[in-house]
Amino acid sequence: MKTSPFHRLLFGRTARRLWALLLVLLSLAIVALAMTPASQEITPDTGLDKVEHVVAFGALAWCGVLALWRRPAALSWLTAGLLLLGVGIELAQTQVPGRTGSWNDIVADAIGIALGLALTTALARALERRRTPRTDAATR
């Protein structure tokens, strides 16, 4: 069966390498932003910080799933690695001026990881099913 350009864009060998590269670059950007000292201004916590955690770790999970597609065993390592990254960031932030570590941030990271894994896996499986020809009993 011929592979569509869209399918190659998401799942091809080159695409998986690019997804892995994007995963690394996003991880580095997230760590760099998290380790930047916060301004000394005290601002009320609006809760948007938690949304940022969910989105950031959801994006990491998205890239990871696509980079590791068709390697289901590697997804458990991805999940553990992303959780460790979130915990590591929170621990390191206790040493950054104007920053604090937060269990709530770790929970938001975990929610983002779970959503990213679930949504990306569901989308990828749906696209794989569309690509696979159906066998009807009537055509046999």
Side-chain angles (χ1 to χ4, degrees):
M1 169 175 265
K2 187 174 181 175
T3 305
S4 73
F6 185 70
H7 194 271
R8 283 191 304 272
L9 177 68
L10 288 177
F11 306 112
R13 182 183 304 176
T14 302
R16 287 194 312 269
R17 288 180 181 148
L18 290 174
W19 287 116
L21 177 63
L22 186 57
L23 173 64
V24 170
L25 293 175
L26 281 175
S27 298
L28 292 173
I30 290 167
V31 169
L33 289 170
M35 294 300 108
T36 303
S39 69
Q40 296 303 321
E41 297 175 18
I42 298 177
T43 57
D45 184 9
T46 61
L48 289 178
D49 169 59
K50 304 309 176 251
V51 173
E52 291 169 357
H53 281 264
V54 170
V55 169
F57 279 81
L60 291 174
W62 174 279
C63 293
V65 167
L66 292 176
L68 299 169
W69 189 243
R70 295 188 187 265
R71 293 184 188 161
L75 292 179
S76 59
W77 287 104
L78 171 69
T79 304
L82 292 178
L83 280 171
L84 285 173
L85 176 65
V87 170
I89 286 171
E90 294 307 313
L91 289 173
Q93 280 185 332
T94 64
Q95 304 303 311
V96 177
R99 299 270 187 186
T100 59
S102 166
W103 284 106
N104 291 335
D105 288 349
I106 295 170
V107 170
D109 296 345
I111 291 169
I113 293 165
L115 287 173
L117 290 170
L119 293 174
T120 311
T121 301
L123 174 67
R125 285 184 178 154
L127 290 171
E128 289 276 298
R129 276 194 303 274
R130 281 188 67 205
R131 184 171 171 259
T132 306
R134 293 183 183 174
T135 56
D136 272 335
T139 59
R140 291 185 199 189

Short mmCIF file of all heavy atoms in Angstrom, two decimals, residues 1-39:
data_model
loop_
_atom_site.label_atom_id
_atom_site.label_comp_id
_atom_site.label_asym_id
_atom_site.label_seq_id
_atom_site.Cartn_x
_atom_site.Cartn_y
_atom_site.Cartn_z
N MET A 1 0.84 -1.18 0.00
CA MET A 1 0.00 0.00 0.00
C MET A 1 0.89 1.24 0.00
O MET A 1 1.87 1.31 0.72
CB MET A 1 -0.91 -0.02 1.22
CG MET A 1 -1.63 1.29 1.45
SD MET A 1 -2.80 1.20 2.78
CE MET A 1 -4.24 0.85 1.84
N LYS A 2 0.51 2.23 -0.78
CA LYS A 2 1.27 3.46 -0.88
C LYS A 2 1.05 4.30 0.37
O LYS A 2 -0.06 4.43 0.87
CB LYS A 2 0.84 4.22 -2.13
CG LYS A 2 1.68 5.41 -2.40
CD LYS A 2 1.31 6.04 -3.72
CE LYS A 2 2.21 7.23 -3.95
NZ LYS A 2 2.01 7.83 -5.23
N THR A 3 2.13 4.89 0.87
CA THR A 3 2.06 5.71 2.06
C THR A 3 1.79 7.16 1.66
O THR A 3 2.44 7.70 0.78
CB THR A 3 3.39 5.64 2.84
OG1 THR A 3 3.67 4.28 3.11
CG2 THR A 3 3.31 6.38 4.13
N SER A 4 0.85 7.79 2.34
CA SER A 4 0.52 9.18 2.04
C SER A 4 1.60 10.11 2.59
O SER A 4 2.30 9.77 3.54
CB SER A 4 -0.83 9.55 2.65
OG SER A 4 -0.71 9.68 4.04
N PRO A 5 1.72 11.29 1.99
CA PRO A 5 2.70 12.26 2.51
C PRO A 5 2.43 12.63 3.97
O PRO A 5 3.35 12.81 4.75
CB PRO A 5 2.52 13.48 1.60
CG PRO A 5 1.89 12.95 0.36
CD PRO A 5 1.08 11.76 0.78
N PHE A 6 1.14 12.71 4.33
CA PHE A 6 0.79 13.03 5.71
C PHE A 6 1.27 11.95 6.66
O PHE A 6 1.80 12.22 7.73
CB PHE A 6 -0.73 13.23 5.84
CG PHE A 6 -1.16 13.69 7.20
CD1 PHE A 6 -0.86 14.97 7.64
CD2 PHE A 6 -1.84 12.84 8.05
CE1 PHE A 6 -1.25 15.40 8.90
CE2 PHE A 6 -2.24 13.25 9.31
CZ PHE A 6 -1.93 14.54 9.73
N HIS A 7 1.10 10.70 6.26
CA HIS A 7 1.54 9.57 7.08
C HIS A 7 3.06 9.60 7.23
O HIS A 7 3.59 9.37 8.32
CB HIS A 7 1.06 8.26 6.47
CG HIS A 7 1.18 7.11 7.39
ND1 HIS A 7 2.31 6.35 7.48
CD2 HIS A 7 0.31 6.60 8.30
CE1 HIS A 7 2.13 5.42 8.39
NE2 HIS A 7 0.94 5.55 8.91
N ARG A 8 3.77 9.87 6.15
CA ARG A 8 5.23 9.96 6.23
C ARG A 8 5.67 11.11 7.12
O ARG A 8 6.65 11.03 7.83
CB ARG A 8 5.84 10.10 4.83
CG ARG A 8 5.88 8.80 4.06
CD ARG A 8 6.73 8.91 2.80
NE ARG A 8 6.32 9.98 1.91
CZ ARG A 8 5.39 9.87 0.95
NH1 ARG A 8 4.78 8.73 0.76
NH2 ARG A 8 5.10 10.90 0.19
N LEU A 9 4.91 12.22 7.06
CA LEU A 9 5.22 13.39 7.87
C LEU A 9 5.17 13.06 9.37
O LEU A 9 5.97 13.56 10.15
CB LEU A 9 4.24 14.52 7.56
CG LEU A 9 4.39 15.81 8.37
CD1 LEU A 9 5.69 16.51 8.00
CD2 LEU A 9 3.20 16.72 8.13
N LEU A 10 4.24 12.21 9.75
CA LEU A 10 4.10 11.85 11.16
C LEU A 10 4.93 10.65 11.57
O LEU A 10 5.48 10.61 12.68
CB LEU A 10 2.64 11.57 11.50
CG LEU A 10 1.71 12.77 11.54
CD1 LEU A 10 0.29 12.33 11.82
CD2 LEU A 10 2.16 13.77 12.57
N PHE A 11 5.03 9.63 10.70
CA PHE A 11 5.57 8.35 11.13
C PHE A 11 6.79 7.87 10.37
O PHE A 11 7.35 6.83 10.72
CB PHE A 11 4.49 7.26 11.01
CG PHE A 11 3.23 7.58 11.73
CD1 PHE A 11 2.06 7.82 11.03
CD2 PHE A 11 3.19 7.66 13.11
CE1 PHE A 11 0.88 8.11 11.68
CE2 PHE A 11 2.02 7.95 13.78
CZ PHE A 11 0.87 8.18 13.06
N GLY A 12 7.20 8.56 9.33
CA GLY A 12 8.36 8.11 8.55
C GLY A 12 9.64 8.15 9.39
O GLY A 12 9.69 8.77 10.45
N ARG A 13 10.66 7.47 8.92
CA ARG A 13 11.92 7.40 9.65
C ARG A 13 12.49 8.79 9.91
O ARG A 13 12.89 9.12 11.02
CB ARG A 13 12.93 6.56 8.88
CG ARG A 13 14.25 6.42 9.64
CD ARG A 13 15.27 5.66 8.87
NE ARG A 13 14.75 4.36 8.52
CZ ARG A 13 15.38 3.48 7.77
NH1 ARG A 13 16.55 3.77 7.27
NH2 ARG A 13 14.84 2.31 7.51
N THR A 14 12.52 9.61 8.87
CA THR A 14 13.03 10.97 9.03
C THR A 14 12.16 11.76 9.99
O THR A 14 12.66 12.51 10.83
CB THR A 14 13.11 11.68 7.67
OG1 THR A 14 13.96 10.91 6.80
CG2 THR A 14 13.66 13.09 7.80
N ALA A 15 10.85 11.59 9.86
CA ALA A 15 9.93 12.29 10.75
C ALA A 15 10.17 11.90 12.21
O ALA A 15 10.18 12.75 13.09
CB ALA A 15 8.49 11.99 10.36
N ARG A 16 10.36 10.61 12.47
CA ARG A 16 10.60 10.17 13.85
C ARG A 16 11.88 10.79 14.40
O ARG A 16 11.94 11.15 15.58
CB ARG A 16 10.63 8.65 13.93
CG ARG A 16 9.25 8.02 13.79
CD ARG A 16 9.22 6.56 14.19
NE ARG A 16 10.28 5.77 13.62
CZ ARG A 16 10.21 5.11 12.47
NH1 ARG A 16 9.11 5.17 11.75
NH2 ARG A 16 11.22 4.39 12.05
N ARG A 17 12.89 10.92 13.57
CA ARG A 17 14.14 11.58 14.01
C ARG A 17 13.89 13.05 14.32
O ARG A 17 14.41 13.58 15.29
CB ARG A 17 15.22 11.43 12.96
CG ARG A 17 15.76 10.04 12.85
CD ARG A 17 16.83 9.93 11.81
NE ARG A 17 17.30 8.56 11.72
CZ ARG A 17 17.73 8.01 10.62
NH1 ARG A 17 17.79 8.69 9.49
NH2 ARG A 17 18.13 6.75 10.62
N LEU A 18 13.09 13.70 13.48
CA LEU A 18 12.77 15.11 13.72
C LEU A 18 11.93 15.28 14.98
O LEU A 18 12.12 16.24 15.74
CB LEU A 18 12.07 15.71 12.51
CG LEU A 18 12.96 15.89 11.28
CD1 LEU A 18 12.13 16.36 10.09
CD2 LEU A 18 14.10 16.86 11.55
N TRP A 19 10.99 14.36 15.21
CA TRP A 19 10.20 14.41 16.45
C TRP A 19 11.11 14.25 17.67
O TRP A 19 10.92 14.92 18.68
CB TRP A 19 9.09 13.35 16.46
CG TRP A 19 7.95 13.66 15.54
CD1 TRP A 19 7.58 12.94 14.44
CD2 TRP A 19 7.04 14.75 15.62
NE1 TRP A 19 6.49 13.53 13.84
CE2 TRP A 19 6.13 14.64 14.54
CE3 TRP A 19 6.90 15.82 16.50
CZ2 TRP A 19 5.10 15.55 14.32
CZ3 TRP A 19 5.87 16.73 16.28
CH2 TRP A 19 4.99 16.60 15.21
N ALA A 20 12.09 13.35 17.56
CA ALA A 20 13.03 13.14 18.67
C ALA A 20 13.86 14.40 18.90
O ALA A 20 14.09 14.81 20.06
CB ALA A 20 13.93 11.94 18.39
N LEU A 21 14.31 15.02 17.82
CA LEU A 21 15.07 16.27 17.94
C LEU A 21 14.22 17.36 18.58
O LEU A 21 14.68 18.09 19.47
CB LEU A 21 15.59 16.71 16.57
CG LEU A 21 16.33 18.04 16.53
CD1 LEU A 21 17.60 17.98 17.38
CD2 LEU A 21 16.66 18.41 15.09
N LEU A 22 12.96 17.47 18.14
CA LEU A 22 12.06 18.46 18.72
C LEU A 22 11.83 18.17 20.20
O LEU A 22 11.76 19.11 21.01
CB LEU A 22 10.74 18.49 17.96
CG LEU A 22 9.74 19.57 18.36
CD1 LEU A 22 10.35 20.97 18.26
CD2 LEU A 22 8.49 19.47 17.51
N LEU A 23 11.74 16.92 20.57
CA LEU A 23 11.58 16.54 21.99
C LEU A 23 12.77 17.05 22.80
O LEU A 23 12.59 17.64 23.86
CB LEU A 23 11.46 15.02 22.12
CG LEU A 23 11.44 14.45 23.53
CD1 LEU A 23 10.22 14.92 24.31
CD2 LEU A 23 11.48 12.93 23.47
N VAL A 24 13.97 16.85 22.29
CA VAL A 24 15.18 17.30 22.99
C VAL A 24 15.19 18.83 23.08
O VAL A 24 15.45 19.40 24.15
CB VAL A 24 16.45 16.77 22.30
CG1 VAL A 24 17.70 17.42 22.87
CG2 VAL A 24 16.53 15.26 22.44
N LEU A 25 14.91 19.50 21.96
CA LEU A 25 14.95 20.97 21.95
C LEU A 25 13.89 21.56 22.88
O LEU A 25 14.16 22.52 23.61
CB LEU A 25 14.77 21.49 20.53
CG LEU A 25 15.91 21.19 19.56
CD1 LEU A 25 15.56 21.66 18.15
CD2 LEU A 25 17.22 21.81 20.04
N LEU A 26 12.67 21.00 22.86
CA LEU A 26 11.63 21.48 23.78
C LEU A 26 12.01 21.25 25.23
O LEU A 26 11.77 22.10 26.09
CB LEU A 26 10.30 20.80 23.47
CG LEU A 26 9.50 21.31 22.28
CD1 LEU A 26 8.27 20.43 22.05
CD2 LEU A 26 9.07 22.75 22.50
N SER A 27 12.61 20.09 25.50
CA SER A 27 13.05 19.80 26.88
C SER A 27 14.07 20.83 27.34
O SER A 27 13.97 21.34 28.46
CB SER A 27 13.66 18.40 26.96
OG SER A 27 12.71 17.43 26.63
N LEU A 28 15.03 21.13 26.48
CA LEU A 28 16.05 22.12 26.83
C LEU A 28 15.43 23.51 27.04
O LEU A 28 15.80 24.22 27.98
CB LEU A 28 17.13 22.17 25.75
CG LEU A 28 18.01 20.93 25.64
CD1 LEU A 28 18.92 21.04 24.41
CD2 LEU A 28 18.81 20.72 26.90
N ALA A 29 14.48 23.87 26.18
CA ALA A 29 13.83 25.18 26.33
C ALA A 29 13.04 25.25 27.63
O ALA A 29 13.09 26.26 28.33
CB ALA A 29 12.92 25.44 25.13
N ILE A 30 12.33 24.18 27.96
CA ILE A 30 11.54 24.16 29.18
C ILE A 30 12.45 24.25 30.41
O ILE A 30 12.18 25.01 31.35
CB ILE A 30 10.65 22.90 29.23
CG1 ILE A 30 9.53 23.05 28.18
CG2 ILE A 30 10.07 22.66 30.63
CD1 ILE A 30 8.76 21.77 27.90
N VAL A 31 13.55 23.51 30.40
CA VAL A 31 14.49 23.57 31.52
C VAL A 31 15.08 24.98 31.62
O VAL A 31 15.18 25.54 32.72
CB VAL A 31 15.60 22.51 31.37
CG1 VAL A 31 16.72 22.73 32.37
CG2 VAL A 31 15.00 21.11 31.55
N ALA A 32 15.47 25.57 30.49
CA ALA A 32 16.05 26.91 30.52
C ALA A 32 15.05 27.93 31.08
O ALA A 32 15.42 28.77 31.92
CB ALA A 32 16.48 27.32 29.11
N LEU A 33 13.81 27.85 30.64
CA LEU A 33 12.80 28.78 31.17
C LEU A 33 12.55 28.55 32.66
O LEU A 33 12.38 29.50 33.42
CB LEU A 33 11.49 28.63 30.38
CG LEU A 33 11.51 29.16 28.96
CD1 LEU A 33 10.25 28.73 28.22
CD2 LEU A 33 11.65 30.68 28.95
N ALA A 34 12.52 27.30 33.06
CA ALA A 34 12.25 26.98 34.47
C ALA A 34 13.39 27.41 35.39
O ALA A 34 13.18 27.69 36.56
CB ALA A 34 11.99 25.48 34.62
N MET A 35 14.60 27.45 34.85
CA MET A 35 15.76 27.79 35.67
C MET A 35 16.09 29.28 35.63
O MET A 35 17.03 29.72 36.28
CB MET A 35 16.99 26.99 35.22
CG MET A 35 16.87 25.49 35.43
SD MET A 35 16.64 25.05 37.17
CE MET A 35 14.94 24.54 37.18
N THR A 36 15.32 30.06 34.90
CA THR A 36 15.52 31.50 34.86
C THR A 36 14.96 32.10 36.14
O THR A 36 13.80 31.84 36.50
CB THR A 36 14.79 32.11 33.64
OG1 THR A 36 15.27 31.47 32.47
CG2 THR A 36 15.01 33.61 33.56
N PRO A 37 15.76 32.90 36.83
CA PRO A 37 15.24 33.51 38.07
C PRO A 37 13.99 34.34 37.79
O PRO A 37 13.90 35.05 36.78
CB PRO A 37 16.39 34.41 38.53
CG PRO A 37 17.62 33.80 37.91
CD PRO A 37 17.15 33.25 36.59
N ALA A 38 13.03 34.21 38.66
CA ALA A 38 11.78 34.97 38.52
C ALA A 38 12.01 36.39 38.98
O ALA A 38 12.89 36.66 39.79
CB ALA A 38 10.67 34.31 39.34
N SER A 39 11.19 37.30 38.45
CA SER A 39 11.30 38.69 38.90
C SER A 39 10.90 38.76 40.36
O SER A 39 10.16 37.92 40.88
CB SER A 39 10.41 39.59 38.05
OG SER A 39 9.06 39.32 38.32
#
